[in-house]
Amino acid sequence: MISLNPTPSNQPLEPGTNLIAHLAASPRPAIIHYAADGRTELSGRVAINWATKMTHLIDSYGIAAPDQLLVSLPVTWRSLALALGVAWTGTACTDDPAEAAGILTDQPEHYLSAAAELFVTHRDDVDAALIDVDDEVLSHADQALLPVPDIIGNAQTTQQPSQHVETHPSGVVIRALEQRLDAATWWAIVDAWRRTQPVVLVEDINDAQLERIITTERLG
């Protein structure tokens, strides 16, 4: 059962607590992405709107627990919001395309032989036989219809994140350039959110620029 009881802001949420409700109520941004074209900030509520639409898109194709989904994405603000939607469906994650009912990816060419539904994002041109997430997701409602599973507990892993993930006292920094979302990185992201901390994605920057971002975003 998911607890709706509030948790003191100085304490991380425990597994079983409603992460979606927590993000919606958080006063801090959930995702900050520094890219070549500028800074993008998503509040918890905006991230949840994207995630909610993604849950409805997945559900509209008949995919639901105990089905399995494969997620293969670059580390971007959109990937994090969409992955939150996947986690919200309560489906299990798999690395085997043969076991997946759906595959969320920016590299559909790697999975064309799979029987799974192919959900494609981060692509300007998507084959009409595949699901263009960036186009179709916008048509779905942002009113939540699915119950919230134990997103925190499901994300926990003993795998260690790569050296591109840096934990700071008041947030997580991920050097996102050419990085892919994996289980350890996802847990670092969820762990930041359950601590009411932002996830800051940075691309091609040097150490001095990173220090300025850490100071600007008050990550400590």
Side-chain angles (χ1 to χ4, degrees), residues 5-21:
N5 293 332
T7 300
S9 60
N10 61 338
Q11 295 294 325
L13 301 185
E14 295 296 328
T17 310
N18 189 325
L19 181 64
I20 298 299

Side-chain angles (χ1 to χ4, degrees), residues 8-210:
S9 60
N10 61 338
Q11 295 294 325
L13 301 185
E14 295 296 328
T17 310
N18 189 325
L19 181 64
I20 298 299
H22 179 72
L23 281 172
S26 173
R28 300 198 68 182
I31 306 167
I32 301 167
H33 189 172
Y34 284 87
D37 57 355
R39 178 184 182 278
T40 301
E41 176 180 311
L42 272 69
S43 67
R45 186 171 297 279
V46 171
I48 288 167
N49 284 347
W50 275 88
T52 305
K53 290 175 182 291
M54 189 62 193
T55 67
H56 297 331
L57 177 59
I58 293 170
D59 185 66
S60 72
Y61 283 88
I63 299 173
D67 290 335
Q68 298 184 75
L69 279 166
L70 187 155
V71 176
S72 175
L73 294 174
V75 179
T76 69
W77 69 262
R78 184 173 300 176
S79 292
L80 270 56
L82 297 178
L84 180 59
V86 171
W88 192 343
T89 66
T91 54
C93 290
T94 181
D95 293 324
D96 186 350
E99 296 179 350
I103 297 172
L104 173 61
T105 185
D106 64 322
Q107 300 173 333
E109 62 275 9
H110 294 174
Y111 304 103
L112 293 177
S113 63
E117 297 281 4
L118 285 182
F119 296 86
V120 182
T121 182
H122 294 76
R123 295 289 285 260
D124 293 331
D125 297 310
V126 178
D127 189 289
L130 309 180
I131 302 162
D132 186 344
V133 171
D134 299 345
D135 179 50
E136 291 194 31
V137 76
L138 298 176
S139 66
H140 286 268
D142 54 14
Q143 179 180 1
L145 299 177
L146 295 181
V148 180
D150 184 6
I151 294 174
I152 298 171
N154 293 342
Q156 285 183 315
T157 179
T158 57
Q159 296 180 30
Q160 294 300 308
S162 74
Q163 61 183 357
H164 299 280
V165 178
E166 302 178 6
T167 301
H168 293 267
S170 298
V172 168
V173 173
I174 302 175
R175 293 178 180 263
L177 188 66
E178 298 183 355
Q179 297 304 304
R180 308 290 294 178
L181 194 59
D182 58 21
T185 303
W186 179 243
W187 169 236
I189 292 162
V190 171
D191 191 41
W193 287 342
R194 77 184 183 118
R195 297 173 187 275
T196 323
Q197 296 177 349
V199 176
V200 180
L201 312 178
V202 296
E203 294 194 9
D204 192 14
I205 63 171
N206 58 39
D207 290 342
Q209 291 170 319
L210 179 57

